[in-house]
Amino acid sequence: MFAALMICCSANCEKTVAERYSDLHYYEIDTAYIARDWTPEQGAAFLETLKGEYSDMKSWEKRKNAIDKGLRDVLLVPESTEALPVPKATITYTQRCEREGVVIENIGLEVADGIWVTGNLYRPIMLEGNHPIILSAQGHGFEGISAEAPRLVEDGQRMCIMLAEMGAVVFNYDMWARGESTLHFGKEAHNTAISGAIQTVSTLRVIDFMKSLPYTDGERIGMMGWSGGGTQTFVATSIDKRIDWAIIITQVSCFFPGGCTCESGLPIHVTVSPQLNNCELAAMAAPRPLLLLSDGVDWTRTTPDVEYPFIKRTYGFYGAGNKVNNIHFASDDHEYKRNRREAIFNFVSKQWNLNTNVIKDQAGRYDFDSVQIKPWSQLLVFGEDSFPKNHVTSVAQAYNSLQKLRKNK
């Protein structure tokens, strides 16, 4: 059943996967998605075949190590980003949310030569001791800059402000060539397969930056993401063991590898044999805490019955079945709604024993409505005219920058 869905070109079969997909031209095309047209039944059947590949921690660790190496090769991930200089940071604007006791900083990070990440850092005004770190990876949404861009939407602002009220330091950042990044790289840049490599390396470099701040706790790092941000979350978590816990919102699926080249265009799903599945990538978080938020309409509709039990099985190899959980919103669709944000607050509070009372109203409900958000125009890092002059302007330049970073030069 699955042989027809595997990619294998007879002329290339003598090469390793990394060799087949390491040429520069590969990063300039939209490649075929692996298992793009699978049905839920085919996806579930494939998970059953994977169970035959490993049945205990020893056999899973062997598979896990192979996946890790394959991902690093295809995504151009350096062996250790901590061996590199901390990314250059440019703070273009700072403002305060006085009622909430939160500071917002608009920050650009040069994660590799000429590759910049744009985002907003939310932190408590009163910095006492070392504060835990949260990375908030954005999903696909409005391609340019407006109030509809994922990083700038009002509910996203509220969540980050409230997490900072609880005591966390949150970095909320754009996808490559999405949101503010679209202004400088153009939306078509996102539709090249190198975007997946850039986003993965960028997340690891964001962690390097966040750990370098004098008021953060580098031993407490969490990551969360919705939709395409969920893909970024489970890929980064599978590679970087510094991430303590992960929250994946409406994304892990056994039959849907991702709807964009940044998620499956490299393709990461044939970095090992047999074919890799996103459920395995999510399971690589084990035994670290993992929360899966799913719904009844999109490709996560089978999560309670298929994907979650499969991932929980892997956690069981470590005696950590209680570290993974699924909350299913059967009547909801592919949205980042209030109920999911409430689930996030509950989870974060539990992991780090943070006080949620500071973000609740007198009735004990999470108080989203009174949070003082900022106009989206005040959250831009560079805007249209002040982007760094050295930013990459082609896929070739981006590829070369990642290669240079990987070689620690």
Side-chain angles (χ1 to χ4, degrees), residues 305-323:
D305 300 320
V306 180
E307 287 86 352
Y308 173 55
F310 178 86
I311 295 170
K312 191 177 180 70
R313 171 182 180 267
T314 304
Y315 268 72
F317 298 156
Y318 301 88
N322 62 335
K323 294 289 187 68

Side-chain angles (χ1 to χ4, degrees), residues 25-33 36 191-193 260-261 264-265:
H25 75 275
Y26 180 76
Y27 292 90
E28 298 174 325
I29 61 175
D30 179 355
T31 55
Y33 296 117
R36 191 174 189 173
N191 297 324
T192 56
C260 179
T261 49
S264 52

